Structure formats: structure tokens, C-alpha cells
Amino acid sequence: MDFPAPLIQGRLIRRYKRFLSDIEMPDGSEIVAHCANPGSMLGLATPGSVAWLSPATNPKRKLKFSWELVESEGALVGINTGRANAVVAEALEAGSLEAFQGYGAVRREVPYGSNSRIDFLLPGDEAPDCFIEVKSVTLKRGGGLAEFPDSVTARGAKHLMELAKIAQEGQRAVMLFLVQRGDCDAVSVAEDIDPVYAAALRQALAKGVEVLCYSCNVSPEAVRLDAALPLRL
């Protein structure tokens, strides 16, 4: 997933109201940038951090910049959760994910379950349909372990329950954790942050939901899917 325009480097002043951030630009001016991340961004919103912004392509948009990347512990981290689906879509359409070989069409945002939409549906001809839910992972608290979620997510637990139902109905259900950083070697669930989500993940696994994890190669030019990572519970 290439960024459509060169990113601009600045420094984070503060992140507030979840979707807003104040950024100091290279010329010393201050702007408000959109922060497309509904989570807590634990460990990634430290004032003074180097932040990378994308300019808005729509001249009528109120906020002229979006916060895309932040430098943390020497690594670039993609904090725009909306980019995760773009990265996975690119890989699916290119056929570069071995786990999904044999599927043709890639459908996005398909209604399913209880008033939900699945991120990707891969219709199967000779195989069961494949339902894929993508979660963007940014939290790293120690060693090389990435963790999800970074805040309580009732919506995430609901998605797991709906995937479990899909699996029990004989279709293929996949939870895909996309780690938008390249300095982790495994993925786990942050049970201390959201024990309900942790329990839902274990139940989903027991009912046949597959869990796949991948890291990303993150740069100011692009965010691209990289290596498969193990899940550790």
C-alpha cells in the first residue's frame, strides 16, 4: 500500500478527543491532523514523538492532514487503522497470501451476522466461502511481542462471536491480526486490558476460527505486508 503523496515529518504535541492530534510542522507552525485510530494508542502518543503526516487529497476537507506513522523505540509504526484493510486487500488481490490460495474474487464490506460487515469475503467454488476480519495491531509493551487490543473493544468481541458462528455453519472464518510495525516476532492478546476479548478469542479458536498474524514493512513511502507471525496465548 503506497501512500498517494509524500509524507511530511513533524512532531507530536498531543493527541486528544481520540481522532485529533496537534502536530508541530517543520517550519515551527502547528496544525491539527486527523488521527484515524479509535484505540488508546498506548505507548505511541508521547509528546515530542516524530510523526509522519499525509496531506489531504480533497481540498474541501476540514483537516488538511492525517497522522499516518509515528516513531517508537526506533521503529516506524502505522497508526492509521484504516490502512490495514488496504494492505490486506492489496495482498489478497495479488494472490501473495498462501493461506488464501485458490480463491478468486475478493469482496469487501459484505453484510453478515448481526448488523455487521465482514472486511473481506472470498467466495469459494469448490471450497467453503472464506470470511476474513482484519484487526490493526500497534501495541508493543516488551520484547518482540505485539498485543491486541490496546483498549476495551466490545465491537471486537462481537466480531469474534460472529466469526465463530460462521465457522460452526461450515464456512471458513479467519481473524487476521496485521501488526503495523516490523519489530515484533509474535502476537498475543492483551488479557489485562480486555479479558472479555481474550475469552472471546479462545472460544472462537475452539469453535474453528482460524487466527493468522502478519507483520508489516513500514516506511514513509508505503506499508506492506511482510512475514507471518505466530500467535501466543
PDB file of all heavy atoms in Angstrom, residues 31-34 54-66:
ATOM      1  N   ILE A  31      -0.411  22.491  13.450  1.00  0.00           N
ATOM      2  CA  ILE A  31      -1.639  22.161  12.723  1.00  0.00           C
ATOM      3  C   ILE A  31      -2.399  21.077  13.495  1.00  0.00           C
ATOM      4  O   ILE A  31      -1.835  20.397  14.369  1.00  0.00           O
ATOM      5  CB  ILE A  31      -1.345  21.690  11.286  1.00  0.00           C
ATOM      6  CG1 ILE A  31      -0.421  20.449  11.281  1.00  0.00           C
ATOM      7  CG2 ILE A  31      -0.699  22.812  10.485  1.00  0.00           C
ATOM      8  CD1 ILE A  31      -1.123  19.134  11.192  1.00  0.00           C
ATOM      9  N   VAL A  32      -3.675  20.927  13.169  1.00  0.00           N
ATOM     10  CA  VAL A  32      -4.490  19.835  13.708  1.00  0.00           C
ATOM     11  C   VAL A  32      -4.617  18.773  12.627  1.00  0.00           C
ATOM     12  O   VAL A  32      -5.042  19.061  11.500  1.00  0.00           O
ATOM     13  CB  VAL A  32      -5.886  20.330  14.130  1.00  0.00           C
ATOM     14  CG1 VAL A  32      -6.713  19.168  14.676  1.00  0.00           C
ATOM     15  CG2 VAL A  32      -5.779  21.429  15.175  1.00  0.00           C
ATOM     16  N   ALA A  33      -4.237  17.554  12.950  1.00  0.00           N
ATOM     17  CA  ALA A  33      -4.307  16.450  11.994  1.00  0.00           C
ATOM     18  C   ALA A  33      -5.319  15.411  12.467  1.00  0.00           C
ATOM     19  O   ALA A  33      -5.490  15.198  13.675  1.00  0.00           O
ATOM     20  CB  ALA A  33      -2.936  15.792  11.825  1.00  0.00           C
ATOM     21  N   HIS A  34      -5.962  14.772  11.502  1.00  0.00           N
ATOM     22  CA  HIS A  34      -6.891  13.688  11.826  1.00  0.00           C
ATOM     23  C   HIS A  34      -6.114  12.468  12.294  1.00  0.00           C
ATOM     24  O   HIS A  34      -5.096  12.106  11.693  1.00  0.00           O
ATOM     25  CB  HIS A  34      -7.721  13.327  10.597  1.00  0.00           C
ATOM     26  CG  HIS A  34      -8.706  12.235  10.844  1.00  0.00           C
ATOM     27  ND1 HIS A  34      -8.759  11.092  10.081  1.00  0.00           N
ATOM     28  CD2 HIS A  34      -9.677  12.103  11.779  1.00  0.00           C
ATOM     29  CE1 HIS A  34      -9.724  10.302  10.532  1.00  0.00           C
ATOM     30  NE2 HIS A  34     -10.294  10.893  11.561  1.00  0.00           N
ATOM     31  N   SER A  54       0.080  12.561   6.122  1.00  0.00           N
ATOM     32  CA  SER A  54      -0.272  12.574   4.699  1.00  0.00           C
ATOM     33  C   SER A  54      -1.160  13.782   4.435  1.00  0.00           C
ATOM     34  O   SER A  54      -2.069  14.076   5.208  1.00  0.00           O
ATOM     35  CB  SER A  54      -1.003  11.291   4.302  1.00  0.00           C
ATOM     36  OG  SER A  54      -2.216  11.155   5.021  1.00  0.00           O
ATOM     37  N   PRO A  55      -0.894  14.504   3.346  1.00  0.00           N
ATOM     38  CA  PRO A  55      -1.752  15.647   3.008  1.00  0.00           C
ATOM     39  C   PRO A  55      -3.083  15.167   2.452  1.00  0.00           C
ATOM     40  O   PRO A  55      -3.150  14.146   1.761  1.00  0.00           O
ATOM     41  CB  PRO A  55      -0.939  16.395   1.950  1.00  0.00           C
ATOM     42  CG  PRO A  55      -0.069  15.348   1.336  1.00  0.00           C
ATOM     43  CD  PRO A  55       0.236  14.352   2.430  1.00  0.00           C
ATOM     44  N   ALA A  56      -4.149  15.893   2.748  1.00  0.00           N
ATOM     45  CA  ALA A  56      -5.473  15.529   2.239  1.00  0.00           C
ATOM     46  C   ALA A  56      -5.533  15.737   0.732  1.00  0.00           C
ATOM     47  O   ALA A  56      -4.981  16.711   0.205  1.00  0.00           O
ATOM     48  CB  ALA A  56      -6.544  16.366   2.929  1.00  0.00           C
ATOM     49  N   THR A  57      -6.191  14.829   0.039  1.00  0.00           N
ATOM     50  CA  THR A  57      -6.351  14.956  -1.408  1.00  0.00           C
ATOM     51  C   THR A  57      -7.605  15.732  -1.768  1.00  0.00           C
ATOM     52  O   THR A  57      -7.742  16.206  -2.894  1.00  0.00           O
ATOM     53  CB  THR A  57      -6.400  13.563  -2.064  1.00  0.00           C
ATOM     54  OG1 THR A  57      -7.449  12.796  -1.456  1.00  0.00           O
ATOM     55  CG2 THR A  57      -5.078  12.837  -1.875  1.00  0.00           C
ATOM     56  N   ASN A  58      -8.530  15.849  -0.811  1.00  0.00           N
ATOM     57  CA  ASN A  58      -9.772  16.587  -1.040  1.00  0.00           C
ATOM     58  C   ASN A  58      -9.601  18.024  -0.540  1.00  0.00           C
ATOM     59  O   ASN A  58      -9.476  18.251   0.659  1.00  0.00           O
ATOM     60  CB  ASN A  58     -10.933  15.912  -0.322  1.00  0.00           C
ATOM     61  CG  ASN A  58     -12.266  16.613  -0.556  1.00  0.00           C
ATOM     62  OD1 ASN A  58     -12.324  17.659  -1.200  1.00  0.00           O
ATOM     63  ND2 ASN A  58     -13.335  16.037  -0.027  1.00  0.00           N
ATOM     64  N   PRO A  59      -9.608  19.022  -1.431  1.00  0.00           N
ATOM     65  CA  PRO A  59      -9.393  20.400  -0.999  1.00  0.00           C
ATOM     66  C   PRO A  59     -10.493  20.939  -0.094  1.00  0.00           C
ATOM     67  O   PRO A  59     -10.286  21.928   0.611  1.00  0.00           O
ATOM     68  CB  PRO A  59      -9.335  21.176  -2.324  1.00  0.00           C
ATOM     69  CG  PRO A  59     -10.074  20.327  -3.300  1.00  0.00           C
ATOM     70  CD  PRO A  59      -9.809  18.915  -2.892  1.00  0.00           C
ATOM     71  N   LYS A  60     -11.667  20.276  -0.068  1.00  0.00           N
ATOM     72  CA  LYS A  60     -12.779  20.728   0.765  1.00  0.00           C
ATOM     73  C   LYS A  60     -12.742  20.132   2.166  1.00  0.00           C
ATOM     74  O   LYS A  60     -13.564  20.494   3.011  1.00  0.00           O
ATOM     75  CB  LYS A  60     -14.104  20.379   0.097  1.00  0.00           C
ATOM     76  CG  LYS A  60     -14.335  21.088  -1.228  1.00  0.00           C
ATOM     77  CD  LYS A  60     -15.684  20.745  -1.803  1.00  0.00           C
ATOM     78  CE  LYS A  60     -15.920  21.477  -3.127  1.00  0.00           C
ATOM     79  NZ  LYS A  60     -17.254  21.141  -3.707  1.00  0.00           N
ATOM     80  N   ARG A  61     -11.812  19.231   2.398  1.00  0.00           N
ATOM     81  CA  ARG A  61     -11.738  18.586   3.708  1.00  0.00           C
ATOM     82  C   ARG A  61     -11.308  19.584   4.774  1.00  0.00           C
ATOM     83  O   ARG A  61     -10.395  20.395   4.564  1.00  0.00           O
ATOM     84  CB  ARG A  61     -10.756  17.415   3.653  1.00  0.00           C
ATOM     85  CG  ARG A  61     -10.677  16.646   4.959  1.00  0.00           C
ATOM     86  CD  ARG A  61      -9.785  15.436   4.799  1.00  0.00           C
ATOM     87  NE  ARG A  61      -9.124  15.135   6.044  1.00  0.00           N
ATOM     88  CZ  ARG A  61      -8.311  14.110   6.232  1.00  0.00           C
ATOM     89  NH1 ARG A  61      -8.055  13.295   5.225  1.00  0.00           N
ATOM     90  NH2 ARG A  61      -7.737  13.902   7.388  1.00  0.00           N
ATOM     91  N   LYS A  62     -11.952  19.516   5.931  1.00  0.00           N
ATOM     92  CA  LYS A  62     -11.671  20.472   7.008  1.00  0.00           C
ATOM     93  C   LYS A  62     -10.256  20.327   7.529  1.00  0.00           C
ATOM     94  O   LYS A  62      -9.525  21.314   7.677  1.00  0.00           O
ATOM     95  CB  LYS A  62     -12.681  20.294   8.144  1.00  0.00           C
ATOM     96  CG  LYS A  62     -12.488  21.281   9.288  1.00  0.00           C
ATOM     97  CD  LYS A  62     -13.541  21.092  10.361  1.00  0.00           C
ATOM     98  CE  LYS A  62     -13.320  22.064  11.514  1.00  0.00           C
ATOM     99  NZ  LYS A  62     -14.331  21.876  12.590  1.00  0.00           N
ATOM    100  N   LEU A  63      -9.844  19.084   7.854  1.00  0.00           N
ATOM    101  CA  LEU A  63      -8.483  18.842   8.333  1.00  0.00           C
ATOM    102  C   LEU A  63      -7.609  18.484   7.140  1.00  0.00           C
ATOM    103  O   LEU A  63      -7.885  17.516   6.431  1.00  0.00           O
ATOM    104  CB  LEU A  63      -8.468  17.724   9.380  1.00  0.00           C
ATOM    105  CG  LEU A  63      -9.245  18.022  10.673  1.00  0.00           C
ATOM    106  CD1 LEU A  63      -9.177  16.836  11.627  1.00  0.00           C
ATOM    107  CD2 LEU A  63      -8.738  19.282  11.353  1.00  0.00           C
ATOM    108  N   LYS A  64      -6.559  19.228   6.937  1.00  0.00           N
ATOM    109  CA  LYS A  64      -5.752  19.105   5.730  1.00  0.00           C
ATOM    110  C   LYS A  64      -4.687  18.015   5.806  1.00  0.00           C
ATOM    111  O   LYS A  64      -4.012  17.744   4.817  1.00  0.00           O
ATOM    112  CB  LYS A  64      -5.083  20.447   5.421  1.00  0.00           C
ATOM    113  CG  LYS A  64      -6.070  21.602   5.258  1.00  0.00           C
ATOM    114  CD  LYS A  64      -7.101  21.325   4.169  1.00  0.00           C
ATOM    115  CE  LYS A  64      -8.059  22.497   3.994  1.00  0.00           C
ATOM    116  NZ  LYS A  64      -9.125  22.196   2.999  1.00  0.00           N
ATOM    117  N   PHE A  65      -4.539  17.389   6.991  1.00  0.00           N
ATOM    118  CA  PHE A  65      -3.534  16.338   7.142  1.00  0.00           C
ATOM    119  C   PHE A  65      -4.100  15.182   7.955  1.00  0.00           C
ATOM    120  O   PHE A  65      -4.994  15.364   8.786  1.00  0.00           O
ATOM    121  CB  PHE A  65      -2.274  16.869   7.841  1.00  0.00           C
ATOM    122  CG  PHE A  65      -1.540  17.925   7.076  1.00  0.00           C
ATOM    123  CD1 PHE A  65      -1.806  19.271   7.290  1.00  0.00           C
ATOM    124  CD2 PHE A  65      -0.590  17.577   6.125  1.00  0.00           C
ATOM    125  CE1 PHE A  65      -1.139  20.244   6.583  1.00  0.00           C
ATOM    126  CE2 PHE A  65       0.087  18.551   5.416  1.00  0.00           C
ATOM    127  CZ  PHE A  65      -0.183  19.888   5.639  1.00  0.00           C
ATOM    128  N   SER A  66      -3.557  13.986   7.708  1.00  0.00           N
ATOM    129  CA  SER A  66      -3.863  12.799   8.516  1.00  0.00           C
ATOM    130  C   SER A  66      -2.569  12.252   9.098  1.00  0.00           C
ATOM    131  O   SER A  66      -1.552  12.181   8.401  1.00  0.00           O
ATOM    132  CB  SER A  66      -4.534  11.710   7.664  1.00  0.00           C
ATOM    133  OG  SER A  66      -5.820  12.113   7.259  1.00  0.00           O
TER     134      SER A  66
END
